[in-house]
Amino acid sequence: MRTLLRKCKILVLFFCGIILALAVFAQFSYAAAQYTFGIVPQYDQRQLYATWKPLMAELERRTGLSFRLAAASTIAVFEREFLKGSYDFAYMNPYHLLKANKAQGYVPIIRNQASLRGILVVRKDSPIKNLSKLNNKVVAFPSPNALGASLLMRADLSELHHLRIVPLYVTSHDSVYLYVIKGLADAGGGVEQTLTLQPKPVRDALRILYTSRKIPSHPITIHPRVPRADAEKVRRAFLAIASTEKGRELLSKIPMKHPIAASLDDYTAMLQWGLESFWVEE
């Protein structure tokens, strides 16, 4: 009987040890875990990292959380990843948000106060002075589903202005502007923010031919697996960063000069715009 009791005690101690070890391991794993922060590739990867790395460092300092920046090589890759739920946090365009919400339950927590508008640019010396001259011309876009620069712009040109164009997809906003300047496309789709961030020689070589309808700006979104407390830390951190001169300089490069709290309701009106027929599955 005593032998049996000793064996029972040994087994109890053994299992208690395993439970304690698992608890310690789980605590260590949680502490060491990183949140993946996906960024829609509006620029080339070098510029994306230069823009976002300092901001990630400031977010870590203010929240006590850890982030791994995930800059996809193309918008198509970015789309595949958020549709799979690969990102914990992500900076994405407004229509991406609607897709991501439907597929994975992503919701926005913060966005820029200013609205987003797509622009169509031509070379400053281009003979094209109005949209009618673009019929059957080559128009460069960063990707089929870049919202302001491509998705909304193609919808506007087709549905509002009844134009037929030859789309050319060139992976980034930077590439669009260079293709137009070099004469490889007659026009190109972008957004006001990315044009503003171009080097002065690029800006000076281009002229805005057309501006699209307004839409709410790109949000910072979260996957539903992120604890609400951590999501709130990030939301508050963005607002706090915007309260300092150094922070405003960091945010202006995204650009998100005036961050405000965001909700899904800010974006649902776009569901009535018929953009789905211009979305391309890649």
Side-chain angles (χ1 to χ4, degrees), residues 108-113 217 219-220 232 235-236 238-239 256 258-264 266-267:
I109 57 171
I110 204 144
R111 66 177 177 88
N112 195 31
Q113 185 175 39
S217 59
I220 303 292
E232 182 62 13
R235 188 186 72 82
R236 289 181 179 274
F238 269 97
L239 297 176
M256 190 181 285
H258 303 289
I260 59 173
S263 73
L264 192 62
D266 297 339
Y267 299 92

Side-chain angles (χ1 to χ4, degrees), residues 154-226:
R154 284 160 39 237
D156 274 15
L157 294 179
S158 176
E159 304 301 307
L160 301 182
H161 301 283
H162 311 294
L163 294 177
R164 298 184 67 180
I165 60 166
V166 180
L168 175 64
Y169 301 115
V170 297
T171 74
S172 72
H173 289 233
D174 293 352
S175 297
V176 167
Y177 301 134
L178 292 177
Y179 265 64
V180 175
I181 290 171
K182 292 179 179 180
L184 301 174
D186 298 289
V191 295
E192 293 171 309
Q193 291 93 325
T194 59
L195 181 61
T196 300
L197 294 174
Q198 295 300 307
K200 189 173 186 299
V202 173
R203 298 196 310 270
D204 290 346
L206 297 170
R207 167 168 50 89
I208 296 177
L209 180 69
Y210 174 76
T211 303
S212 75
R213 292 169 281 180
K214 289 184 179 181
I215 48 180
S217 59
H218 288 45
I220 303 292
T221 66
I222 59 165
H223 193 278
R225 65 174 166 263
V226 176

